[in-house]
Amino acid sequence: MPVAIYPGTFDPVTCGHVDIVERAARIFTKVVAVVADNPSKNWAFSTEERLSMLRDSLAHIPNVEVQSHKGLVVECFDQCDATVIIRGLRAISDFDYEFQMAFTNRKLDARAETIFLMPSAKYTYLSSTIVRQLASFGGDIRTLVPAPIHDRILARFTGAGK
Ligand code: COA
């Protein structure tokens, strides 16, 4: 039964990430969305917050699990007994970085195949940085982030809840 992992920082999760997971969940028996608990980035949200937001955003998809992982993606791939690593490709500018990551993962574990999925065209410009920027200047992020976490993101950047 093919299991896929979808690793990312999800700081915070956006509608573009959810779009990718929905597509993957239609292809694979199980999709494990993995929050990187990697200390090298300056997170806006803690691992627990990112995990909780991801869980709430993906709760409508039955064959999805959410977990965090500290360390290499291939270790998580192995622990989940996965056959595929899912990554999203939004634009050609993602390609170099993704190409490097896919080959690095395959070098570390020859079984680690990466499959790239494209989100809906309406999310090709979207990133977590864009969401953080808009939220901190009071811009409308309603169509960019999943409804269950909208207020939590606004609260973090503006102190407002609604
Ligand atoms: N919709 C919206 N945004 C998307 C997206 C989508 N479908 N797909 C990617 N993005 C954005 C993210 O929001 C993020 O934006 P930001 O930079 O503004 O925060 C950006 O693309 C990249 O995010 P992500 O996909 O989470 O990649 P990453 O490079 O931050 O992290 C990990 C990827 C988690 C796999 C990796 O960094 C990691 O932690 N690896 C562990 C070490 C390892 O195994 N190394 C070997 C492999 S190189």
Side-chain angles (χ1 to χ4, degrees), residues 40-103:
S40 70
K41 247 193 175 184
N42 229 351
W43 311 118
F45 296 92
S46 69
T47 302
E48 290 67 32
E49 288 170 324
R50 289 181 285 131
L51 207 47
S52 158
M53 289 195 289
L54 192 59
R55 220 166 248 141
D56 292 349
S57 304
L58 300 176
H60 61 291
I61 318 174
N63 57 331
V64 170
E65 286 177 14
V66 176
Q67 66 177 59
S68 64
H69 179 77
K70 195 176 280 201
L72 294 172
V73 168
V74 289
E75 291 166 356
C76 180
F77 174 83
D78 190 45
Q79 283 158 18
C80 293
D81 215 10
T83 46
V84 165
I85 299 168
I86 299 288
R87 294 287 294 169
L89 269 188
R90 293 162 298 170
I92 209 74
S93 51
D94 281 341
F95 186 76
D96 278 350
Y97 174 63
E98 293 298 337
F99 186 83
Q100 204 175 17
M101 193 151 46
F103 274 103

Side-chain angles (χ1 to χ4, degrees), residues 3-64:
V3 174
I5 62 167
Y6 179 49
T9 51
F10 304 112
D11 190 35
V13 57
T14 70
C15 291
H17 294 120
V18 174
D19 179 290
I20 294 287
V21 178
E22 286 171 345
R23 286 170 201 282
R26 289 197 285 270
I27 302 170
F28 298 96
T29 308
K30 184 167 94 175
V31 178
V32 185
V34 183
V35 174
D37 185 10
N38 180 345
S40 70
K41 247 193 175 184
N42 229 351
W43 311 118
F45 296 92
S46 69
T47 302
E48 290 67 32
E49 288 170 324
R50 289 181 285 131
L51 207 47
S52 158
M53 289 195 289
L54 192 59
R55 220 166 248 141
D56 292 349
S57 304
L58 300 176
H60 61 291
I61 318 174
N63 57 331
V64 170

Side-chain angles (χ1 to χ4, degrees), residues 138-156:
D140 188 357
I141 56 167
R142 220 161 281 273
T143 57
L144 309 183
V145 299
I149 65 166
H150 172 267
D151 289 0
R152 264 178 275 177
I153 297 173
L154 267 199
R156 170 58 44 91

